[in-house]
Amino acid sequence: MSLAAGPKTQNQLEILLNAEMVTQRVRELAAQISADYRGRPLRLVGILKGAWMFLADLIRHMDLEDVSVDFLGVASYGRSTKSSGEARITKDLDQSIEGLDVLIVEDILDTGETFNYLQEILTARQPKSLKAVVLLDKPSRRTRPAQADYVGFTIPDAFVVGYGLDYAENYRQLPDVRVLRPPNPEGAKG
Ligand code: IMP
């Protein structure tokens, strides 16, 4: 079945990280973040759309009294598995982050373009501190230096879907992180 004919079924995609591994690691990250921010109000900034499932799981395992959530919509890939190197805001934050301890919650760090863009626009809003947690990191694909403060898994150069991550808006609902191999990776458009 080609991608043009519609999304593949879950069983046609190889599992990279199963749901249990993801859950376990998200709990560990939540514990580490809770320890680091103990006694301080924390604002989570979830990056839409890919990070919503990760953020939902992360926050429910955190042990912090004062934690709030906002979302920033950023578009980067469209219907391609290659980064366009361009990021743009599709939905701005609802509230100011000035003077707050802010933790960006991102699905995946790939070329680093989006990450740098986020650092730039959020630093300009003068938070007290700005850190980032990413579920997945693909360090081999960097075009710009980028290092998250908390990383769930370092993964090889593969296009992954599931657990909130999509290809052309498909596969976000899958509980595992799976590898998508398009028949024509350069030209998977339209
Ligand atoms: P970057 O700007 O190249 O670092 O790309 C970051 C964004 O691209 C992520 O927040 C994802 O939305 C998307 N992205 C990068 N790699 C993948 C992938 O393997 N699967 C799905 N989305 C990805």
Side-chain angles (χ1 to χ4, degrees):
M1 181 197 281
S2 78
L3 286 179
K8 297 188 182 199
T9 64
Q10 188 171 165
N11 293 337
Q12 291 174 291
L13 305 172
E14 178 195 332
I15 293 182
L16 182 66
L17 305 164
N18 67 37
E20 290 72 29
M21 292 166 74
V22 173
T23 303
Q24 175 57 30
R25 186 67 188 128
V26 171
R27 283 179 188 220
E28 289 169 7
L29 288 171
Q32 196 185 342
I33 291 164
S34 301
D36 291 353
Y37 286 91
R38 180 93 52 230
R40 292 154 62 192
L42 177 62
R43 170 71 48 83
L44 300 180
V45 170
I47 308 304
L48 297 173
K49 300 179 196 172
W52 59 271
M53 198 180 280
F54 176 39
L55 188 146
D57 285 346
L58 191 65
I59 196 169
R60 85 183 76 186
H61 293 301
M62 282 182 176
D63 182 20
L64 286 176
E65 297 209 338
D66 193 347
V67 56
S68 56
V69 179
D70 205 343
F71 289 99
L72 186 69
V74 178
S76 57
Y77 272 25
R79 285 180 65 93
S80 169
T81 56
K82 295 286 173 194
S83 175
S84 64
E86 284 172 23
R88 65 187 167 86
I89 291 184
T90 57
K91 181 220 165 287
D92 207 342
L93 295 174
D94 291 334
Q95 292 169 315
S96 166
I97 55 167
E98 191 175 340
L100 302 181
D101 286 314
V102 173
L103 182 66
I104 299 170
V105 183
E106 254 277 54
D107 53 358
I108 184 164
L109 183 47
D110 187 21
T111 63
E113 299 291 337
T114 308
F115 189 86
N116 277 284
Y117 173 74
L118 290 171
Q119 296 286 332
E120 206 172 293
I121 61 162
L122 294 180
T123 300
R125 298 180 187 195
Q126 302 183 313
K128 183 171 157 198
S129 70
L130 184 65
K131 289 192 173 186
V133 55
V134 298
L135 179 69
L136 306 173
D137 188 6
K138 283 197 267 188
S140 59
R141 295 221 341 124
R142 288 292 192 285
T143 53
R144 294 182 65 183
Q147 177 65 56
D149 301 277
Y150 306 92
V151 175
F153 300 91
T154 301
I155 63 168
D157 179 10
F159 195 84
V160 290
V161 294
Y163 197 70
L165 289 123
D166 77 312
Y167 172 78
E169 295 302 328
N170 291 122
Y171 310 112
R172 291 194 198 275
Q173 78 281 11
L174 303 180
D176 313 295
V177 175
R178 292 175 181 255
V179 177
L180 180 69
R181 297 184 204 285
N184 174 9
E186 299 302 327
K189 292 198 181 88

